[in-house]
Amino acid sequence: MKSWIGALLLVALVLSSGFIESTIQYKDYFCDSKCEVRCSKASLKERCLKYCGICCEICRCVPPGTYGNKDACPCYRDLKNSKGKSKCP
């Protein structure tokens, strides 16, 4: 009986790890694609992509367009850096 429960737990662990991995890959794709659009016209594109990605992972959203529209994502709008300025591009 104990080996049957152990086998069931092992199968559940394997199935859940596949689900978690696919969720992480989807989130990375979501943030990457949204930030690519957001930073397409930025003069410092690499920096923009870095901070946009950080903000996207925290807030799970990125405002539409290349500039402004931050009211569409209040979490993204309200994140501040150590100097009190907007952290998100």
Side-chain angles (χ1 to χ4, degrees), residues 34-48:
K34 295 287 186 178
C35 288
E36 188 66 36
V37 171
R38 183 82 180 165
C39 297
S40 64
K41 294 183 179 179
S43 58
L44 300 172
K45 190 170 183 174
E46 291 300 317
R47 182 174 170 191
C48 181

Side-chain angles (χ1 to χ4, degrees), residues 11 21 27 42 46 54 68-69 74 83-84:
V11 168
E21 184 177 326
K27 185 175 78 170
E46 291 300 317
I54 291 169
N69 303 318
K83 296 179 181 176

Side-chain angles (χ1 to χ4, degrees), residues 8-74:
L8 184 62
L9 288 173
L10 182 61
V11 168
L13 179 64
V14 169
L15 290 175
S16 66
S17 68
F19 174 74
I20 291 170
E21 184 177 326
S22 66
T23 303
I24 290 170
Q25 287 175 350
Y26 173 77
K27 185 175 78 170
D28 289 343
Y29 174 75
F30 172 81
C31 288
D32 289 348
S33 63
K34 295 287 186 178
C35 288
E36 188 66 36
V37 171
R38 183 82 180 165
C39 297
S40 64
K41 294 183 179 179
S43 58
L44 300 172
K45 190 170 183 174
E46 291 300 317
R47 182 174 170 191
C48 181
L49 289 171
K50 175 184 174 182
Y51 287 106
C52 180
I54 291 169
C55 295
C56 179
E57 285 185 28
I58 293 169
C59 297
R60 299 179 188 254
C61 66
V62 175
T66 58
Y67 184 79
N69 303 318
K70 288 187 178 181
D71 288 334
C73 185

